Amino acid sequence: MGKVAVTAAVVFAAAISTATAVAVRHHMKNSAKWGKALEILEELEENCATSTWKLKQIADAMTVEMHAGLASEGGSKLKMLITYVDNLPTGEEKGVFYALDLGGTNFRVMRVHFGEAEEQIVNEEVHTSIPLHLMVGTSDALFDFIASTLAKFVAEEGEDVHLPAGRQRELGFTFSFPVKQLSIASGTLIKWTKGFSIEDAIGQDIVGELTKALERIGLDMRVTALVNDTVGTLARAHYDNPDVVAAVILGTGTNAAYVERANAIPKWQDLLPNSGEMVINMEWGNFRSSHLPLTEYDESLNAESLNPGEQIFEKMISGMYLGEIVRIILLRMAEEAAFFGDTVPPKLRTPFILRSPDMSAMHHDDSSDLKVVDSKLRDVLEIPNSSLKIRKVMVKLCDIVASRGARLSAAGTVGILKKLGRDKSRKEGEKQTSVIAIDGALFEHYTKFRQCFEGTLEELLGDVYETISVVQSHDGSGIGAALLAASYSQYIGLEES
Ligand code: GLC
């Protein structure tokens, strides 16, 4: 070999080894990053773990807090609000009633006709969403918007809608926020949750505010019942089935209501001496316990939220927050493990960009190349060309976060059953069934969440699970409110007299 050829060969060999070294280094760097990403994932899984034992502790803590909240006002993080609903629908309700449903992603106005047999419940409704600026504006602006939507709905009513002569229209108002009720048709707002923040409404009588707005617009309608969505859900389910003992909302927010023996409530005699039972709105979204598997991601979500320190249980479970938790985890993986490459995808820094329906779609992707995950990454986070490895991690992340939420809500439900003494096996010959009514988009549309919730109930209750029936109470917050307007109608008893 000549000198030139030898030199060329040496240079060539050197070039190859440099390229190899670069490739090896690149590979090592990548695998180090990948290793770091997996480390974050493993640590997350560990910190979100909800063993049966831990869930039982949480159920116990829920029962303890329920007792404490009932015993004295401010005695617990659980408000355990008296709803003045001591008369649940029986299936005998008749007539036309209106409902307003405010407190989730949508705002709805409904007219419901309760009749006979097949025509038992016929409803018409309009959906709209509350414009973002009204969620953080003034009380008048919000209630004027609500009243005008209602007035428009009534103005468009067909000829076929008629109330008995001389009767006022009656409305059940589902207002799904913590309210201290003063009667079935009045109550003051304690605080906002779920992204609403209208300072001047706090402490106000919600029915008073709505009534003033109805007067401003000139609509003659009586607000007959002010209800929480959990209470509407309970009422709706009770219309079909008197064995309903509790209702749980798994939607934008989360909460539960249940039927309590009146004598378990102090000062009962002063409030409603004639009732034997009363529905309690627990406001369990604000539950907190040292047993909750909180992570650094929950801490940052909480710190950046509109209501830091509040609604900790809700922030771990409900539809408003699940996608956001995933986003915060992804951001850390992108920053510390270059999970999506050398630059952090800018969209990942936008709070609430990843919504729970997106998360659910990714979680349910059963295609071999996870193409739904790929399209969500592209469309929502503007991350093109994700590898299959990355997509698999995405599914795993959704699974960890959703399962933790579903399992915690099942533990909360067991806490209620314990409080009611319905967590024990039936004695021979007993037929008692405890029906739990559930509503909310998370339960209705996020199949894996629902399956995990139900599976966990069974895991925690063992044989007692056979005595429990979980039913979906469709549209509880709408139809349930109209039903309560019927149960508490000002015209009740007039037919007979
Ligand atoms: C929030 C509200 C509560 C409501 C729940 C479900 O937790 O504070 O009143 O029932 O969301 O919508």
Side-chain angles (χ1 to χ4, degrees), residues 35-65:
K36 176 71 187 163
L38 293 185
E39 202 180 287
I40 295 177
L41 190 71
E42 264 165 36
E43 177 198 79
L44 173 79
E45 193 166 17
E46 231 165 76
N47 294 341
C48 286
T50 47
S51 63
T52 313
W53 180 82
K54 192 183 257 287
L55 292 180
K56 287 190 170 167
Q57 305 280 308
I58 292 170
D60 285 345
M62 184 66 83
T63 314
V64 168
E65 291 299 315

Side-chain angles (χ1 to χ4, degrees), residues 16-17 44 95 117 182 190 226 236 272 349 479 493:
I16 288 184
S17 64
L44 173 79
L182 306 169
I190 300 173
L226 174 65
R236 170 68 189 92
L272 276 176
R349 298 196 188 277
I479 292 172

Side-chain angles (χ1 to χ4, degrees), residues 340 370 373-374 377-378 383-391:
F340 295 111
L370 297 175
V373 179
D374 179 45
L377 285 174
R378 266 173 217 276
I383 298 170
N385 311 322
S386 55
S387 67
L388 187 58
K389 250 180 7 178
I390 286 186
R391 294 180 211 167

